[in-house]
Amino acid sequence: EGMTPVPDSRRAMVSVTGDIMGNSLAGIENLLQAPYGCGEQNMISTVPNIYALKYLTAVGDLDGEFKEKAVKNMERGFDREMNYVHACMPSEGGFSAFGSDKKDNEQGCRNQDPTMASTWLTAFVVRSFTAAKQYTPNVASSIDSMLSPATAFL
């Protein structure tokens, strides 16, 4: 800095970091986003919050504002995802992109659930919120309550 470059000279830049993930995580705050959309979109927008928080915690570089935002997004994501859980057989406890027939759920499980839950989405929900549970004490017991029927579905 402060030096005038020589006209027509080439320029090089060197960056050194002590963490293999350093350069790729320069902007990790951009991974934090509020959950939105259907069951699948909700998970895709929630999960980066979980793993960004997990990484920064592991490397000791977590600040309070980042944690607060990530936890808030995870809690919202969990609450939203519960809109896509199936309550009636044969998909009881499973998750799908659009959930089950709301009318049937309001009137009880008179008939079999006409829509099927997704095995892969349910597994993704179980794995993701198991990882999030340690950071989300406000919904940890709700996560525990969701895990048993979701695991039984799988």
Side-chain angles (χ1 to χ4, degrees):
E1 290 184 55
M3 296 176 50
T4 305
V6 176
D8 298 325
S9 64
R10 302 220 178 232
R11 196 184 282 187
M13 188 155 115
V14 176
S15 175
V16 178
T17 182
D19 182 350
I20 193 166
M21 297 293 290
N23 288 336
S24 54
L25 293 175
I28 193 168
E29 65 279 350
N30 295 326
L31 291 176
L32 299 184
Q33 53 183 300
Y36 65 90
C38 70
E40 294 168 355
Q41 291 169 326
N42 182 64
M43 290 305 295
I44 294 300
S45 59
T46 300
V47 169
N49 292 281
I50 299 167
Y51 289 99
L53 180 60
K54 188 173 183 174
Y55 173 78
L56 291 177
T57 299
V59 298
D61 198 20
L62 181 65
D63 70 50
E65 185 179 330
F66 187 96
K67 181 178 181 180
E68 184 180 324
K69 186 174 181 182
V71 168
K72 185 176 171 182
N73 288 341
M74 285 187 272
E75 290 173 349
R76 279 188 189 151
F78 176 76
D79 289 342
R80 286 184 51 80
E81 197 62 28
M82 294 311 294
N83 291 319
Y84 305 104
V85 67
H86 290 245
C88 299
M89 293 305 284
S91 292
E92 184 177 4
F95 290 81
S96 68
F98 302 107
S100 63
D101 183 359
K102 303 287 188 220
K103 203 183 300 180
D104 197 42
N105 288 340
E106 291 168 6
Q107 298 171 1
C109 294
R110 299 179 329 242
N111 304 311
Q112 286 195 340
D113 191 342
T115 58
M116 289 299 297
S118 164
T119 302
W120 77 262
L121 180 59
T122 302
F124 190 44
V125 168
V126 167
R127 179 176 173 88
S128 301
F129 286 113
T130 297
K133 191 171 71 165
Q134 66 181 311
Y135 305 111
T136 54
N138 293 337
V139 295
S141 64
S142 296
I143 291 172
D144 285 335
S145 297
M146 174 273 299
L147 289 175
S148 180
T151 304
F153 169 77
L154 294 172

